[in-house]
Amino acid sequence: MLTVDDALEQVGEFGWFQKQAFLALCLLSAAFAPIYVGIVFLAFTPDHRCRSPGVPELSRRCGWSLAEELNYTVPGPGPEGQAFPRQCRRYEVDWNQSALGCVDPLAGLAANSSLLPLGPCRHGWVYDTPGSSVVTEFNLVCDDSWKVDLFQSCVNVGFFLGSLGAGYIADRFGRKVCLLATTLISAILGVLTAVAPDYTSLLLFRLGQGLVSKGSWTAGYTLITEFVGLGYRRTVAILYQVAFTVGLVLLSGLAYAVPHWRWLQLAVSLPTFLLPLCYWFVPESPRWLLSQKRNTQAVKIMDHIAQKNGKLPPADLKMLSLKEDVTEKLSPSFVDLFRTPHLRKHTFILMYLWLTSSVLYQGLIMHMGVTGGNLYLDFFYSALVEFPAAFIILVTIERFGCLYPLAGSNLVVGAACFLMIFISHDLHWLNIVVACVGRMGITLAFQMVCLVNAELYPTFLSGFGASCRGNDAASSGDQGGHFARDHQGRGEPAEESKAQRKQDLPSGPNIRIQLTGTRERCSAGDRVAEMRTELSSEELLRSPKLFLLLACP
């Protein structure tokens, strides 16, 4: 029976159609970067001090420089471990009184300026920045500095909650429907964020954008990996994430050119209104259509791919079908992720990997001080580190598989973060080197987790299963030829009747899993003879070969 991978081998595994779809969806990946880490520029906290009425007039009358004004009118650093008074406290002095002189104006009020009473910033703050941010507009400093963290927490909560719904929509109603809906809503909410009148509405719009934006990225990842053949699937998945890195690099340049946060938010949101056009250029995934018993549409799409690639469709294209004989559409369920002990174990492990990878990735990309103060160069250099990380994955994955690089990269980033605790701030160059090593390590780990995660679930559950673990990517189908699931089998025993096969299946979704061949050391070059052994899902999960199947790419 002709499978999707069989058909792709004949119509083109990565032809003109796939390249066109890949480039279109890469724009979607790049557009996700400002949402994921845009807080770096939208809510940066510049140097600031309390606004004191009368100080600007006194400074002009005395002809002070900025350094002299700060020296005479702003408190010095406070005790170690406390907030700097120069940022959050002011002298309780009436600067409009005429008795104040131009040389040490506080000398006539107290023998030592440290004895003068300090008070809160009742009149707001003065910010030393040519642009603006959420912090400067809503005064999110000092006692309200926690609201900056809440601003980013809202989008992260949105990622978590929205991924559940978006993953279900992608598996239940299709990748294209999910892609169109989430991208369009994300664009609208991005514009609303730019015109938010107050902090509360800003949080609500940011939360809403988090609810849909991650589902949009995931739908694009799923679509492109389901359109290409086995030989290109990993490469495409990695390059799709490289497009995200390109978005990070472009974001640093755009933020430098547009230093005002509202205009910057508009600049990154308005172009996303063009992304829903992908709906008319990228068809639905034929794998998902087959899982939903919409075989006729899947055949038409495969024929369209053949025409775009300049290939002849297979003679038996109309026989394109799932490996298993299903009597109803396959629908995802949260319970399916924990149906067996092995699935529960791997689901919990991946949940932990996603948690640690997300925390370290966001932490390092937003707080790594590479150049010692220039926000734009800090961000730019930290983004550049991702390119060699992607190259390392492309070079090593076929030789060593996913398991060892994943473990090694987590050890590297863990060691780098641990060493940074003990490195003196005076050793600036050493801090730079260790931070860059950690940044590269977490990028390797993140992309490896995406690949490993993508290989553990069948098509009807891929998006939902990935989203329920809070991941950033979902893929489905047979990855690398080692775990051919549901409809991707390579053969069917002629002597076994449909009734016998149906009777052998376990309870739950009527799905069969075929072991199509393991590879020594998980290497694509070390193929062994294809095994024609067909196992039910329960039997496979009890098999001692499962560890090799799940560990190898």
Side-chain angles (χ1 to χ4, degrees), residues 1-11 13 226 228-230 233 286-287 290 295 298-299 302 314 316-324 477-478 484-492 512 514 516 530 532 534:
M1 183 177 295
L2 186 70
T3 66
V4 175
D5 290 317
D6 293 332
L8 286 174
E9 288 180 359
Q10 300 183 51
V11 304
E13 292 187 299
E226 292 183 347
V228 300
L230 294 176
R233 197 165 298 158
R287 301 180 191 273
L290 289 174
N295 295 26
V299 169
M302 293 302 297
D316 56 345
L317 183 59
K318 293 184 179 180
M319 300 299 295
L320 188 68
S321 179
L322 288 173
K323 169 60 185 175
E324 71 278 3
D478 183 3
R485 303 177 301 262
D486 56 309
H487 58 271
Q488 298 180 33
R490 292 285 187 174
E492 188 171 23
R512 302 183 65 78
Q514 184 185 20
T516 60
E530 186 178 24
R532 300 293 181 179
E534 188 174 39

Side-chain angles (χ1 to χ4, degrees), residues 4-36:
V4 175
D5 290 317
D6 293 332
L8 286 174
E9 288 180 359
Q10 300 183 51
V11 304
E13 292 187 299
F14 194 61
W16 170 249
F17 167 82
Q18 286 94 341
K19 292 174 183 176
Q20 187 179 33
F22 173 71
L23 291 177
L25 294 174
C26 277
L27 297 176
L28 187 71
S29 181
F32 182 60
I35 301 173
Y36 194 69

Side-chain angles (χ1 to χ4, degrees), residues 367-517:
H367 300 291
M368 186 177 73
V370 175
T371 60
N374 191 309
L375 175 66
Y376 306 101
L377 287 179
D378 284 356
F379 192 90
F380 177 74
Y381 289 144
S382 66
L384 289 180
V385 176
E386 292 198 8
F387 290 108
F391 176 77
I392 292 173
I393 295 175
L394 288 171
V395 171
T396 61
I397 191 170
E398 291 299 333
R399 181 177 295 272
F400 301 105
C402 293
L403 185 61
Y404 295 114
L406 174 61
S409 58
N410 275 286
L411 289 175
V412 168
V413 67
C417 291
F418 183 75
L419 288 176
M420 289 175 66
I421 301 175
F422 304 99
I423 299 176
S424 171
H425 292 289
D426 297 331
L427 299 175
H428 182 62
W429 64 272
L430 186 57
N431 276 290
I432 292 175
V433 172
V434 175
C436 285
V437 170
R439 181 77 178 88
M440 183 180 297
I442 195 57
T443 302
L444 284 165
F446 222 144
Q447 295 204 16
M448 286 295 181
V449 172
C450 284
L451 292 174
V452 172
N453 180 93
E455 299 178 358
L456 299 184
Y457 291 97
T459 302
F460 84 100
L461 191 59
S462 61
F464 185 67
S467 299
C468 286
R469 290 189 306 277
N471 64 2
D472 286 299
S475 180
S476 57
D478 183 3
Q479 298 281 345
H482 80 286
F483 194 25
R485 303 177 301 262
D486 56 309
H487 58 271
Q488 298 180 33
R490 292 285 187 174
E492 188 171 23
E495 70 278 5
E496 187 178 54
S497 66
K498 294 181 180 180
Q500 285 178 301
R501 289 200 306 267
K502 183 178 292 188
Q503 185 177 2
D504 290 338
L505 291 175
S507 59
N510 188 10
I511 188 169
R512 302 183 65 78
I513 303 176
Q514 184 185 20
L515 176 60
T516 60

